[in-house]
Amino acid sequence: MLRQFFAYYRPWIGLFWLDFGCAVLSGLLELAFPLAITGFIDHLLPMGDWSLTLTAAVALLVIYLLNTGLMAIVIYWGHMLGINIETEMRSRAFAHLTRLSWRWFDSSATGKLVARVTRDLEEIGEVAHHGPEDLFIAIMTFAGAFLLMFWLHPGLAVITGVIVPLTGWIIAFYGGRMTNAWQAIYARVGAFNVRLEETIGGIRVVQAFANERHEHGLFADDNAKYRSTKLSAYKLMAASTSINYMGMRLVQVVVMVAGAYFVLTGAMTTGTFVGFLLLVNVFFRPLEKIAAVIETYPRGIAGFRRYLELLATEQEIADRPDATAAPALKGEIVLDHVSFAYDETRPILHDISLTVRPGETVALVGPSGAGKSTLLALVPRFYEPVTGEVRIDGRPLASMTLESLRSQIGLVSQDVFLFGGTLRENIAYGRLGASEADILEAARLAQLGPMIEQLPNGLDTIVGERGVMLSGGQKQRVAIARVFLLDPPILLLDEATSALDRETEREIQQALNTLSEGRTTLVIAHRLGTIRDADRILVMESGRIVEQGSHEELLARQAAYARLSA
């Protein structure tokens, strides 16, 4: 894990050495100050040379100014190092998330994912800055201060050193517990975010059913669990910090009394005694820093472990090494003995074989849970079949890169997702970088023209989160405009009009009919009247195609399709 962590320093190795070098030099200058005070008291003051004393004071001030500059570099450029590493990790985490399959997202909570790329990585950034630097400087300062104290007075140095075993015990005893505690806190933060996101996202449902008190109760429960988990971590932190603090202060008092005895008996000069006391403070500072490590490092380690777990999530659907960009597709779709299941207990499709000719419109009908939407999702390779193969224009889907495949398939579903930006941005999502004329033409074909003219800012009107400022029919038109802009040879319509009223459905259906012209179209219909003119209608039940034919042929059979029409 440490090897993986330090690999992130490579792009910023120059910045690392600048931060590290300045921090080390600053630590060395801190060691020089107690010796300067010793010389000041024992040598300069007895000499009575005022000018030499002032010169020494100015030299000491120059050292302080230099150290101030070094500290400024460490604080700013060191944090820049941490932020750079944090930013790189966040970028990798986001890129990995966007490549994971629908199957993985089906069982993942958005709030927990948000916590992984925000709070977790903020803690990692702090450790990336302070980690190697703090440990090295703590060891260097600790060893340097002890050697100087031993040089000044071996007996007092040994007395001071008794704190070391205590500090080592604290690190060993509390370090692992703190790491586990912070991992539990991060899990609670994820659950906390999930509850918050679901309540805010579904606030209209919450208020419609007057369930504010119920949601408050659920939130209070998660909030209380988060509080309890965090208090447990702080209890460990309080115990370790308190023990460490008391041990250090006890040794300080003993050193002060013993040092006073040595001064009174003539075994130590006053300057040496003062310098030794200052070195004791320098000696304890890295121990205090190590105590702070018990608080800071476990958070970063816990966050980094969760980050690695995310990156280790297998990318179920990815480009094969030999995959090539798809040419301009004609639109022949073949499902060859395809079966699919979300898991062993949930088989969805059973041995489906189907050929859709280029330019043909094929409708899928059947009861809920028959597998219609799953079949459509196999075509853009959102899911992989368990057995069998899906081909387009004779080429297996896996032989084409995902980007080149999906850029030639347009999808309009019942649940339209709009981003919280402008109408223009949402339409242009179908083809990023499209011209104003192309966007307006796509809007016109989707019958959005009258609506755009009525909006106060036209295409630049903000649609709100998930398009909350638009009606259901307007959102469907935006989704259709996106696909017009994409202009794909293959079109998938997943119950695109089922949630609309009859009048709006007729208007949307006109736009969909225009959109379907000259394209291979697979359409799932809730109302059978919208697919009467399809070239073929497939009736699905329990993951199997049980009937197929034209509207008239299927009605004449008086079987499954006729029962749906009744």
Side-chain angles (χ1 to χ4, degrees):
M1 188 177 70
L2 287 175
R3 201 162 43 242
Q4 289 175 289
F5 183 75
F6 285 120
Y8 285 92
Y9 284 89
R10 283 197 200 102
W12 318 104
I13 196 67
L15 196 56
F16 169 78
W17 285 117
L18 173 67
D19 171 50
F20 190 78
C22 289
V24 169
L25 186 55
S26 176
L28 290 173
L29 291 177
E30 282 292 311
L31 287 173
F33 177 67
L35 296 181
I37 294 299
T38 299
F40 198 88
I41 295 174
D42 284 347
H43 301 291
L44 287 180
L45 289 182
M47 290 172 62
D49 189 335
W50 183 243
S51 62
L52 186 59
T53 300
L54 286 177
T55 302
V58 170
L60 193 59
L61 185 61
V62 170
I63 292 174
Y64 277 149
L65 287 172
L66 175 60
N67 207 14
T68 300
L70 293 172
M71 289 171 61
I73 292 173
V74 169
I75 291 171
Y76 179 73
W77 296 100
H79 277 100
M80 180 186 290
L81 171 66
I83 290 169
N84 287 347
I85 291 173
E86 176 189 335
T87 303
E88 172 64 19
M89 287 182 174
R90 185 171 288 118
S91 177
R92 290 192 188 188
F94 182 80
H96 188 71
L97 277 173
T98 58
R99 290 192 293 264
L100 294 177
S101 69
W102 281 21
R103 187 200 298 264
W104 187 81
F105 282 105
D106 288 344
S107 57
S108 300
T110 304
K112 292 183 178 181
L113 299 180
V114 170
R116 288 197 177 192
V117 295
T118 53
R119 173 154 185 173
D120 285 18
L121 295 183
E122 287 175 4
E123 300 292 354
I124 295 171
E126 281 297 302
V127 172
H129 168 211
H130 294 291
E133 166 192 309
D134 280 3
L135 281 176
F136 182 83
I137 292 171
I139 294 169
M140 181 198 72
T141 308
F142 177 77
F146 185 78
L147 288 174
L148 289 174
M149 286 190 297
F150 197 85
W151 176 63
L152 290 175
H153 199 284
L156 274 182
V158 172
I159 293 172
T160 309
V162 299
I163 192 68
V164 177
L166 175 63
T167 303
W169 176 81
I170 292 172
I171 292 172
F173 185 77
Y174 287 101
R177 294 189 178 191
M178 287 295 294
T179 300
N180 293 334
W182 281 106
Q183 282 185 305
I185 286 173
Y186 287 147
R188 290 295 182 201
V189 168
F192 193 80
N193 286 350
V194 169
R195 176 63 56 198
L196 192 61
E197 182 191 4
E198 286 184 347
T199 302
I200 293 174
I203 192 64
R204 287 164 179 78
V205 176
V206 172
Q207 294 181 352
F209 286 90
N211 279 337
E212 293 91 341
R213 187 175 300 172
H214 170 71
E215 289 298 324
H216 184 269
L218 294 176
F219 183 83
D221 184 53
D222 283 335
N223 207 10
K225 289 177 180 175
Y226 176 69
R227 175 183 178 275
S228 176
T229 306
K230 204 163 187 181
L231 281 177
S232 299
Y234 284 128
K235 187 181 293 182
L236 289 170
M237 189 189 304
S240 64
T241 304
S242 300
I243 294 170
N244 210 35
Y245 174 84
M246 190 59 215
M248 290 179 187
R249 297 307 172 257
L250 180 63
V251 172
Q252 276 185 319
V253 172
V254 171
V255 168
M256 190 168 62
V257 172
Y261 171 79
F262 289 133
V263 171
L264 291 174
T265 58
M268 177 185 278
T269 65
T270 303
T272 301
F273 179 48
V274 174
F276 194 96
L277 287 177
L278 292 173
L279 277 172
V280 168
N281 287 328
V282 175
F283 177 77
F284 282 159
R285 203 169 298 149
L287 296 182
E288 290 173 343
K289 187 167 285 191
I290 290 171
V293 163
I294 297 174
E295 174 191 348
T296 307
Y297 283 19
R299 294 204 298 258
I301 291 168
F304 190 63
R305 280 180 178 167
R306 285 162 57 85
Y307 168 76
L308 291 179
E309 287 171 6
L310 176 61
L311 291 192
T313 304
E314 184 180 351
Q315 191 177 334
E316 183 184 352
I317 298 176
D319 290 336
R320 285 192 332 204
D322 60 344
T324 58
L329 298 178
K330 296 176 182 177
E332 182 192 53
I333 302 171
V334 175
L335 280 75
D336 188 0
H337 296 285
V338 167
S339 296
F340 176 81
Y342 289 106
D343 54 56
E344 293 179 358
T345 62
R346 296 172 61 200
I348 305 298
L349 299 177
H350 306 274
D351 196 30
I352 298 287
S353 291
L354 171 67
T355 299
V356 182
R357 296 181 297 276
E360 186 180 15
T361 295
V362 174
L364 306 175
V365 299
S368 296
K372 306 183 296 295
S373 295
T374 302
L375 190 152
L376 253 62
L378 294 176
V379 177
R381 209 178 160 211
F382 293 140
Y383 297 104
E384 295 275 37
V386 175
T387 59
E389 186 177 64
V390 182
R391 297 187 294 272
I392 296 181
D393 292 353
R395 293 186 57 177
L397 298 188
S399 71
M400 299 178 256
T401 61
L402 289 171
E403 183 179 359
S404 65
L405 168 67
R406 292 173 181 173
S407 65
Q408 298 190 66
I409 299 174
L411 172 64
V412 181
S413 62
Q414 174 185 356
D415 183 20
V416 176
F417 182 91
L418 297 185
F419 297 94
T422 65
L423 186 60
R424 179 196 307 277
E425 291 167 346
N426 275 284
I427 295 174
Y429 207 79
R431 193 177 81 233
L432 299 177
S435 66
E436 177 89 359
D438 288 342
I439 293 172
L440 288 171
E441 177 62 12
R444 184 189 67 79
L445 291 171
Q447 300 185 13
L448 276 170
M451 183 195 81
I452 293 173
E453 292 175 1
Q454 295 173 5
L455 292 173
N457 297 314
L459 284 172
D460 294 315
T461 300
I462 300 293
V463 301
E465 186 176 4
R466 295 179 176 268
V468 70
M469 306 296 289
L470 303 180
S471 69
Q474 290 169 337
K475 287 193 285 188
Q476 287 289 2
R477 288 186 177 93
V478 173
I480 294 168
R482 280 179 184 166
V483 180
F484 268 119
L485 199 58
L486 178 63
D487 193 22
I490 298 173
L491 182 61
L492 308 177
L493 305 176
D494 188 355
E495 298 196 82
T497 63
S498 62
L500 306 176
D501 60 80
R502 295 284 185 179
E503 183 178 352
T504 305
E505 181 185 32
R506 280 194 296 270
E507 295 172 356
I508 298 294
Q509 194 61 48
Q510 290 176 11
L512 290 175
N513 291 340
T514 304
L515 180 60
S516 302
E517 290 177 4
R519 308 177 202 274
T520 302
T521 304
L522 291 176
V523 52
I524 297 174
H526 177 69
R527 298 189 181 107
L528 302 185
T530 61
I531 47 92
R532 296 169 62 97
D533 298 326
D535 297 313
R536 244 189 315 162
I537 299 173
L538 310 180
V539 182
M540 295 188 65
E541 290 181 356
S542 302
R544 293 180 172 84
I545 298 174
V546 295
E547 268 189 320
Q548 59 177 303
S550 67
H551 175 70
E552 290 76 14
E553 290 171 348
L554 292 175
L555 281 180
R557 291 178 190 170
Q558 292 296 305
Y561 184 75
R563 290 195 299 272
L564 291 172
S565 302

